[in-house]
Amino acid sequence: MSLQELKNLIQQSGIVGAGGAGFPSHAKLAEGADILALNCAECEPLIYTDYMLMQQHLAKIARGATLVMEAAGIPQALLCVKAHRAEMLGMEEGDEIAPRVRVKLLPDAYPMGDEINLIYEATGRVVKPGQLPITKGVIVLNGETAYNIALAADEGKPVTEKWVTVGGDIDTRVVVRVPVGMRVADLFHTLHITVPKGYTVLDGGPSMGKKIRVATAVIGKTTKSLLILPDTAPAIAHKNIAIADMLRRAASCCCGCTRCTEMCPRHLLGYPIEPHKMIRAANNDLAKRNPDLIKTASLCCSCGVCAEVCCQDISPKDVILDLKNILAQNKMRFVAGEEEYKLHEDRKHRLIPSARWESILGVRKFDIVPTLLAHSIPAARVEIPMSGHIGAPSVPAVKVGDAVKVGDVIATAAQGLSMPQHASIAGKVTFVDDKKIIIENK
């Protein structure tokens, strides 16, 4: 299969980055790479989705990797796994899981799943600020993304299901397969899970996950986990502070200690991002006087380390996110020039061990290996979002009353960077607008 043929197949199958960002996977593939990095680091605590996929379907992950390698002329692939998870899976450094696909152990530290940190740990290469991994000869795909590529190529299956960890402070900790667009409320009802008062549900991990309303939230192609955590946990406490209140707190409480910058994973890689300066900029006219400083906000990976190490209980991450939104609206970002960037000499001593990070977040006691449910969870109703990926929203291709089967195209890709959508259950279309399509099989 040629590179263009594979790219077309990936786009037509609706395959996006399954690790959380939702970037259309076909747009990542290009000639010129010499390493394919499979991101199975499971960056955030409490998530075991990739772990279960590796345990149950390692051959399919390797098959997806092989297809990409052959099409793009990539000589080798690295299955990047944190050391403690690799030990649980019986893997060792350098194990060959398929021809030219080897295991690469990553440090048990947070945030190893961050693409830029992962590339450095796996290859020793530092991607320049604002540039893409391909500039260093690397393509990064999530393990589940590679799995989906194999399903599309070998079985003709588009993305209609999502693997999800359901965990946190609950008794029913499971990894499940569910139809894309299934309502979270329906999944919790099927699993007999009730969210107690004083608890928050996150789509994603405790650090970077987003708060959701169970009654209205649905599972998208980027949903890696659903975590139920007490509001008293530090991981949740910061998420419950409004950005306006956080800005006021930053203005009145920041002592200028620079600890947030000293521990920033991207800063330690030599990136010119300094969270403590972002705090200052958010509270005065530094943005007008020094726009280059604000552009460095685009280099933040939103890992949240700065928030949890702040001695004044400020979340620089949230302040930076506000700045990032402004940059996005104005189509501005930081891009490195010819200058060289060097790692901080103390980087290896400032990595936060995974177990320590769990303790900082207040979630360590909830880190229990979940049970894998062998069967997929059925849904009687799904809501397929048109914007479940980075890029232009999908364009509905069905109307109310249409009967659809699993895998049918229900929305096509728009112009530019966009993706189609497929029916994840069989039934009738009961609602269509430019934001979502609802299918019911009652």
Side-chain angles (χ1 to χ4, degrees), residues 157-211:
K157 291 183 177 180
V159 178
T160 60
E161 287 189 321
K162 188 70 184 74
W163 289 69
V164 180
T165 297
V166 181
D169 188 11
I170 55 176
D171 294 327
T172 307
R173 299 180 180 91
V174 294
V175 173
V176 297
R177 283 182 297 130
V178 301
V180 171
M182 184 176 190
R183 293 184 295 185
V184 174
D186 292 342
L187 174 59
F188 283 3
H189 176 75
T190 301
L191 297 175
H192 307 291
I193 292 174
T194 300
V195 180
K197 186 177 180 180
Y199 278 66
T200 292
V201 180
L202 300 179
D203 182 328
S207 308
M208 293 182 273
K210 296 181 179 179
K211 294 169 54 178

Side-chain angles (χ1 to χ4, degrees), residues 33-367:
D34 62 353
I35 294 178
L36 171 63
L38 298 172
N39 187 348
C40 294
E42 218 97 72
C43 185
E44 291 253 41
L46 311 186
I47 304 178
Y48 284 84
T49 307
D50 290 339
Y51 169 82
M52 288 298 181
L53 267 170
M54 287 186 287
Q55 186 184 76
Q56 302 294 320
H57 297 290
L58 188 59
K60 275 193 171 60
I61 294 174
R63 169 61 176 159
T66 299
L67 287 164
V68 172
M69 293 163 63
E70 292 176 347
I74 302 173
Q76 63 173 319
L78 302 176
L79 183 77
C80 302
V81 190
K82 285 183 181 177
H84 73 288
R85 289 285 175 88
E87 183 178 3
M88 293 167 64
L89 290 164
M91 295 178 177
E92 295 184 359
E93 174 80 16
D95 282 354
E96 191 171 63
I97 62 172
R100 300 184 293 133
V101 182
R102 296 179 293 106
V103 172
K104 180 62 182 179
L105 300 188
L106 303 176
D108 288 326
Y110 179 81
M112 278 303 110
D114 166 48
E115 187 173 70
I116 304 302
N117 275 277
L118 178 140
I119 289 172
Y120 173 71
E121 292 294 345
T123 71
R125 305 172 187 178
V126 177
V127 178
K128 280 193 172 184
Q131 296 187 359
L132 297 174
I134 191 65
T135 61
K136 288 296 182 180
V138 182
I139 292 174
V140 181
L141 295 177
N142 179 258
E144 187 176 356
T145 302
Y147 167 86
N148 286 332
I149 290 173
L151 288 182
D154 297 339
E155 303 177 32
K157 291 183 177 180
V159 178
T160 60
E161 287 189 321
K162 188 70 184 74
W163 289 69
V164 180
T165 297
V166 181
D169 188 11
I170 55 176
D171 294 327
T172 307
R173 299 180 180 91
V174 294
V175 173
V176 297
R177 283 182 297 130
V178 301
V180 171
M182 184 176 190
R183 293 184 295 185
V184 174
D186 292 342
L187 174 59
F188 283 3
H189 176 75
T190 301
L191 297 175
H192 307 291
I193 292 174
T194 300
V195 180
K197 186 177 180 180
Y199 278 66
T200 292
V201 180
L202 300 179
D203 182 328
S207 308
M208 293 182 273
K210 296 181 179 179
K211 294 169 54 178
I212 60 172
R213 292 184 63 238
V214 172
T216 58
V218 300
I219 295 166
K221 293 179 181 178
T222 61
T223 302
K224 207 69 176 177
S225 65
L226 297 168
L227 302 180
I228 302 169
L229 298 170
D231 292 344
T232 53
I236 301 300
H238 277 138
K239 298 180 189 295
N240 287 333
I241 301 173
I243 183 61
D245 293 335
M246 186 59 72
L247 287 171
R248 283 191 288 269
R249 180 180 294 183
S252 61
C253 299
C254 179
C255 63
C257 70
T258 75
R259 191 179 183 193
C260 54
T261 294
E262 291 169 1
M263 294 298 292
C264 171
R266 291 283 182 92
H267 179 77
L268 293 174
L269 280 172
Y271 277 34
I273 179 171
E274 299 176 281
H276 73 284
K277 290 184 178 179
M278 298 295 177
I279 293 293
R280 296 176 195 168
N283 292 293
N284 53 45
D285 64 351
L286 276 179
K288 296 178 181 177
R289 290 189 280 125
N290 191 355
D292 288 340
L293 168 66
I294 303 307
K295 283 184 181 180
T296 64
S298 64
L299 304 177
C300 173
C301 67
S302 299
C303 67
V305 167
C306 57
E308 302 304 335
V309 301
C310 178
C311 60
Q312 300 293 351
D313 204 26
I314 299 168
S315 176
K317 179 190 77 171
D318 293 330
V319 176
I320 292 172
L321 180 60
D322 193 53
L323 295 174
K324 287 174 72 173
N325 290 335
I326 295 172
L327 290 175
Q329 292 168 10
N330 291 278
K331 297 182 179 180
M332 298 169 60
R333 64 188 181 93
F334 182 94
V335 179
E338 295 300 319
E339 62 270 38
E340 292 296 322
Y341 295 89
K342 295 183 179 180
L343 271 68
H344 195 288
E345 59 184 6
D346 289 333
R347 178 183 179 273
K348 66 180 181 179
H349 303 300
R350 294 185 186 176
L351 296 179
I352 303 176
S354 297
R356 175 59 181 154
W357 184 243
E358 288 183 329
S359 297
I360 290 172
L361 296 174
V363 301
R364 182 153 177 73
K365 61 184 176 181
F366 310 134
D367 190 0

